[in-house]
Amino acid sequence: MSKHYDDILSLVIGKIRSTINEDWIQDFEIEGETRFNTDLEIESIEFVKIADAIQAHYGTQLDIVGWLSGKSIHELIGLSVGELASFIAGAVPEQG
Amino acid sequence: MQMISVNGAELSSMDLGRDKGSAVVMLHGLVSGNMASWYSSVATPLSGERRVVLYDQRGHGGSSIPGSGFDLDSQAADLQAVIAHHGLSGQPVDLVGHSMGALVALRFALRHPRQLRRLVLVDAPMPARDYVAPSLLGVTSPAALADYVENHLVGLTGRRRERLHQRLSALFFGSTLMRDVLAMASEPDAELAALDRPVLLVYGRRSPCLAAGQHLLRTLPRAQLELLDCGHYVIEESPAALRALVDRFLSVDGAPALGIAA
């Protein structure tokens, strides 16, 4: 995986930890393969907050709302952290 | 994500498609509902053409769990505060509500018709004291709540189940929610008959609340009823069909209904 992807994966993991903001998530080992549903057991509202925090970070560089649009919340919760990071890596230009 | 201070509570809210013209505020249902109920399946698609405001009603999602204020007048006042917070007080907005959120939207519409353009009521369980209260009435003790969680939240496991259990415990034993729902009667026919705004009623064919939709169709002067092949949880069971109906109804061209009002 590229540095671009790794940087974005780190950012996504940071947003997950700050949004959930409970003791256990700070120590939980989160990787690309970690799934929001089965591994993290996050609530749908928490996924929405994570997506919103990522959107706020990238601003107009990223259209996360457009990407999520029309998917069911269960489909989104079923994603892995790496799948979300891959979408962002493909949408956001690499920093020079 | 923004926090809005209202009477006795902090409400979590978000705004999609901010630069678009007309605005719609979407309200979720009781207990298991929150902004995520509408978010990806309906709200984000609608936000391609219009501004969409979502919020967690008091006691739900990221909002605080206050001890009171679950009656429809208080929740309609919350909605008014949300509308004001987003700078929409000066223009008629569209309201879309599911279940308890539909009852809040309807109460708001009856109290503030000039603030309303179009109204969508999805499986509104009116009166809630008949349709909603019975499922809650047996939950009178922590043991009964444990049974309720066991029987009604079948799909939820682990952390999510535990968190909803804690929320229900706070709502049922630490707030007036139950009492407030038990006091929710039907809106008076005369007030419904005076609501001169287009209303779309969407009900599930298999919903236990269907008779409420038929009553609203007979009583509201400008209502239309659409039935979808599902039960009460229309957003989860028929998202694509619901999205298409709401989009079409809100996209109807023409001036906001404000000028038509007496």
Side-chain angles (χ1 to χ4, degrees):
Chain A
M1 287 291 180
S2 67
K3 180 175 183 305
H4 178 58
Y5 170 85
D6 289 342
D7 289 348
I8 286 170
L9 181 63
S10 296
L11 182 122
V12 169
I13 291 170
K15 294 297 180 194
I16 292 169
R17 293 199 207 281
S18 60
T19 302
I20 305 292
N21 197 25
E22 292 177 353
D23 288 344
W24 68 272
I25 194 82
Q26 310 309 330
D27 302 326
F28 195 98
E29 194 172 333
I30 306 175
E31 303 170 321
E33 293 74 32
T34 305
R35 295 205 164 265
F36 288 103
N37 185 11
T38 46
D39 296 323
L40 298 178
E41 295 191 301
I42 67 163
E43 295 178 313
S44 51
I45 188 67
E46 291 171 326
F47 186 90
V48 173
K49 287 181 181 179
I50 291 164
D52 190 57
I54 293 169
Q55 180 68 67
H57 177 87
Y58 286 104
T60 54
Q61 277 189 298
L62 180 70
D63 180 19
I64 201 164
V65 165
W67 183 63
L68 304 178
S69 186
K71 296 182 170 73
S72 80
I73 198 72
H74 301 290
E75 195 178 335
L76 296 174
I77 295 273
L79 291 172
S80 70
V81 175
E83 284 165 338
L84 179 58
S86 291
F87 156 70
I88 300 167
V92 174
E94 287 192 44
Q95 301 293 319
Chain B
M1 208 73 68
Q2 306 160 46
M3 295 305 287
I4 305 172
S5 291
V6 297
N7 183 25
E10 297 285 319
L11 305 184
S12 179
S13 180
M14 66 193 300
D15 195 356
L16 304 165
R18 202 161 303 159
D19 300 328
K20 311 278 171 38
S22 65
V24 53
V25 184
M26 309 190 78
L27 297 93
H28 60 75
L30 194 66
V31 175
S32 59
N34 54 54
M35 288 194 273
S37 307
W38 287 112
Y39 180 72
S40 60
S41 59
V42 182
T44 52
L46 288 180
S47 73
E49 297 295 325
R50 57 182 70 74
R51 186 174 172 186
V52 180
V53 170
L54 297 172
Y55 73 104
D56 290 330
Q57 286 139 237
R58 57 175 58 217
H60 295 75
S63 296
S64 65
I65 306 180
S68 62
F70 295 91
D71 59 287
L72 292 175
D73 276 337
S74 297
Q75 294 208 66
D78 290 348
L79 171 56
Q80 190 171 28
V82 170
I83 288 171
H85 173 88
H86 289 285
L88 297 168
S89 296
Q91 65 183 85
V93 299
D94 297 324
L95 297 177
V96 178
H98 172 246
S99 196
M100 183 61 71
L103 298 180
V104 175
L106 178 59
R107 175 62 60 89
F108 180 90
L110 296 174
R111 294 287 184 271
H112 308 283
R114 287 174 177 275
Q115 179 76 66
L116 178 72
R117 194 181 76 108
R118 289 175 165 255
L119 177 62
V120 181
L121 303 178
V122 183
D123 235 75
M126 188 186 84
R129 69 179 178 200
D130 292 348
Y131 287 110
V132 182
S135 67
L136 310 177
L137 272 180
V139 187
T140 52
S141 67
L145 176 60
D147 278 350
Y148 178 88
V149 168
E150 183 75 27
N151 295 319
H152 285 77
L153 309 177
V154 177
L156 279 186
T157 55
R159 174 175 176 267
R160 282 183 290 252
R161 187 187 181 103
E162 180 56 30
R163 283 169 64 84
L164 187 54
H165 194 155
Q166 286 170 4
R167 178 182 300 282
L168 293 177
S169 185
L171 285 170
F172 287 179
F173 307 127
S175 89
T176 59
L177 174 76
M178 195 96 81
R179 197 191 324 153
D180 290 339
V181 172
L182 275 171
M184 286 179 192
S186 285
E187 302 291 357
D189 283 358
E191 289 188 26
L192 294 169
L195 184 64
D196 189 14
R197 291 291 184 279
V199 181
L200 172 64
L201 307 164
V202 183
Y203 279 75
R205 267 195 193 89
R206 296 187 298 279
S207 169
C209 309
L210 184 54
Q214 287 157 343
H215 174 76
L216 287 166
L217 178 67
R218 285 193 300 272
T219 316
L220 291 163
R222 299 175 63 188
Q224 54 184 289
L225 174 63
E226 299 282 352
L227 298 181
L228 296 180
D229 193 21
C230 59
H232 176 66
Y233 294 95
V234 184
I235 310 174
E236 289 80 14
E237 295 175 53
S238 296
L242 176 61
R243 182 166 67 233
L245 282 175
V246 172
D247 190 30
R248 195 169 66 213
F249 179 72
L250 297 185
S251 301
V252 170
D253 200 15
L258 190 66
I260 299 167

